[in-house]
Amino acid sequence: MIYTIDRITTLINAERYGEADARIGFILTDSRSLCFPEETLFFALKSDRNDGHRYIPELYRRGVRNFAVEVLPDSSSSYTDANFLKVADTLKALQMLAKKHRETFHIPIIGITGSNGKTMVKEWLYQLLMPERFVTRSPRSYNSQIGVPLSVWLLNENTQIGLFEAGISRPKEMDALREIIRPTIGVLTTIGTAHQENFASIEEKCREKLRLFRHAQTIVYCTDNALTARLISEESLEGEPIAWSTKDENAQLYVSRIEKQAEHTTVSYRYKNHIEGQYTLPFIDDASVENSITCTAVALYLGIAPAALAKRMAHLEPVAMRLEVKEGQHGCTLINDSYNSDIHSLDIALDFMNRRPDHKGRKRTLILSDIEQTGRKPADLYREVSHLAAKRRVEKFIGIGRQLCAHADSIGITDKCFFPDCESFIHSEAFDKLRNEVILIKGARRFGFDRLTDLLVKKVHETTLEVNLNALVENLNYYRSFMKPETKLVCMIKANGYGTGAVEIAKTLQDHRVDYLAVAVADEGVTLRNNGITSSIMIMNPEMTAFKTMFDYELEPEVYSFRLLDALIKAARKEGIAGYPVHIKLDTGMHRLGFDPQQDIEKLIDVFKHQNALIPRSVFSHFVGSDSNDFDDFSRHQFVLFDEASRKIQSAFPHKILRHIDNSAGIEHFPERQLDMCRLGIGLYGVNPRSNAIIHNVCTLKTTILQLRIVKAHETIGYSRRGTVERDSLIAAIPIGYADGLNRRLGNRHGYCLVNGKKADYIGNICMDVAMIDVTGIDCKEGDAVEIFGDRLPVTVLSDALSTIPYEVLTGISNRVKRVYFQD
Ligand SMILES: *Cc1c(COP(=O)(O)O)cnc(C)c1O
């Protein structure tokens, strides 16, 4: 829907500066996601760490002319044709705009909250309702203070039902979300321990969530959960409760039977004592069954007939939450998004692709299936798809499905081809010719895109390291929360990003605007540059043989000795270079590398003063034991030495020299020592080096069961007959060995992995490529997943068992283990 800038000014109560007419169709809060500048209104939001006002000049240059701001830019006269809407609080104004937009709709609006299952319930309700209603819903999991207004803004003149998620992580957040969504139907999914950090109790969190339902006419929830049931009655909500239960026959929706088979579940129910029904769900896990019942209650309330419901339930598609990045064949990178195909999630996926830099020459390709049942005219829809794809710099378009074939003309990208189905594409020349491309694969499951991805992905090994990019960003924010907004940050991605794979990590970090990336050697820096990384890069161990490479690729070396410094100066002079930035390392107690803070400073200053090839950009030192209170005195001693020496260096030069000493543990333990910059390492990858606890888990090392066999009592397993079984045992072989980085010392029951959530000991000696585990008594079959460490088995369990540190376990995972990156 389009609003004039006039109208918006009134709706958000803004003071308007500027007179240009404008029609606004898009709202932007993240400058990196800009797509349609002319019709965009940018809200300059302020957070603890960032300030949207900073991006106004850049956005103006890129064509944006409408800005909601708290402060007018200094040189507002140079933005002659722009409009600035000045408000006291831009976030509140954004929320206000969404609220006013919402108020113009008199249709059922479903508001979903809970700890788990919100997105699944939302997506399934969408699948169940869309055959007969035009549904507008939150894209992916846009459920925050910013995500909710952006979602509600998507309501348009076609919408017949709105479907929105509300997520909170701290007290007093729900009221704002309720005012924006104003649900007529409230839906509560499972309440659990997720996002509990900022609440005193589950009860407090649950009460906060229930505030979403204050004015709802109907509230759908499960009454079998005693806490929810009690709180709902205590909160004296206005709406009519539609409670479901598997126990209480008098519940509005009574589930009389849940019958699980090998691959599906049959659920029988009675609704309001007179409608009897049954459906079969193509899933068997408890969460899916529970969420399907919640959906049933909503669907029946909305008047969907039990027969229609049963038919649609049978075809429910799993909700793929993840956007995955995988290495493909023939130099391709695959971005796989099997989240329900619709235009908003397509836009998010395209934005994700667009924001990941790439080295020159690789084409951006979109493989898209028909977008089904949108209630829109296909010609319009695909014209919009084409427009969006072109704006997001897609250069090649491959359409799959009969509808796309029929509307090939709507796609304005020159390099395009179309196929009626996935099979015909797979057997085409176009498929064979995919080379050196970044390929976004986006298709509804019905089109069988799984098979497509399987064929395109590079086959290495059945063992994979899954890297959760959301968790990485959460860890980044966790550490940033200890830092002042102006403190700069170096992210350490040496040793291939502590084992996670430096390139993809660097892309994510660059997108989150970290100031510096640091790697160990020049070659690691070159790899980053070749993959489109333009951030500043520090080289911690510059080799004497790699100076030229560093200059060519703008990699900034650390200098730790006069010998290195002299050689660097000579090399820079030879290339005719002046003012090349370097980073000075001082040895305050590690006694590894670095200048002596008490004896070398004078001479160091002197050397720098008598040349102009190099310029000190920063000076730093490294704590020996910031991870333990035992070394607090020594850390203080190190800091004093550093503080004094680094001030001396600074005072000798007119330009600003960044001073830094805090590493991950230091950021948390000595935030007062953050100086100008901090260096974040292990914490980024999820391990808190002080508590050894996992902050947000980033890495999960996974494999599968290759073969199962029963081994009789007293037989032995593996080389050298080290593993004797005492009883008849079930033994699984898994394709991971010490060559993959599974430490051989974990063998012979010194460690375990998880099979279907149960502990399985390594038995016998671990081999080079294979290990054997004892799965006696565990319900499992060949092909089942095995977690070596990760979401459910902290990496620290392994490092403790090995009497080492998690750093060693992570960096020891060998290159042949395929890395898969994903983001919600
Ligand atoms: C590796 C490294 C860091 C990061 O240390 P963490 O303990 O992983 O945070 C910081 N500074 C220097 C000089 C390093 O080599």
Side-chain angles (χ1 to χ4, degrees), residues 646-657:
S646 60
R647 278 177 202 275
K648 229 180 259 168
I649 295 174
Q650 172 65 85
S651 64
F653 296 90
H655 70 279
K656 169 86 184 158
I657 299 177

Side-chain angles (χ1 to χ4, degrees), residues 629-642:
N629 294 337
D630 296 350
F631 305 113
D632 279 357
D633 286 341
F634 192 72
S635 295
R636 189 172 316 112
H637 164 74
Q638 282 192 282
F639 183 78
V640 169
L641 276 180
F642 176 70

Side-chain angles (χ1 to χ4, degrees), residues 492 494 498 540 558 585 592 620-623 626 660-667 679-685 689 807:
M492 309 305 289
K494 58 194 182 190
Y498 287 46
M540 308 308 280
E558 145 186 333
K585 183 185 242 177
R592 183 170 65 177
F620 70 102
S621 191
H622 197 26
F623 284 123
S626 54
H660 46 115
I661 188 163
D662 268 349
N663 56 355
S664 304
I667 296 171
R679 298 188 306 273
L680 179 60
I682 191 79
L684 190 57
Y685 308 96
Y807 300 69

Side-chain angles (χ1 to χ4, degrees), residues 426-439:
I426 288 169
H427 295 108
S428 72
E429 206 185 327
F431 182 80
D432 292 332
K433 284 212 299 221
L434 294 171
R435 289 280 184 290
N436 300 315
E437 296 165 43
V438 180
I439 308 174

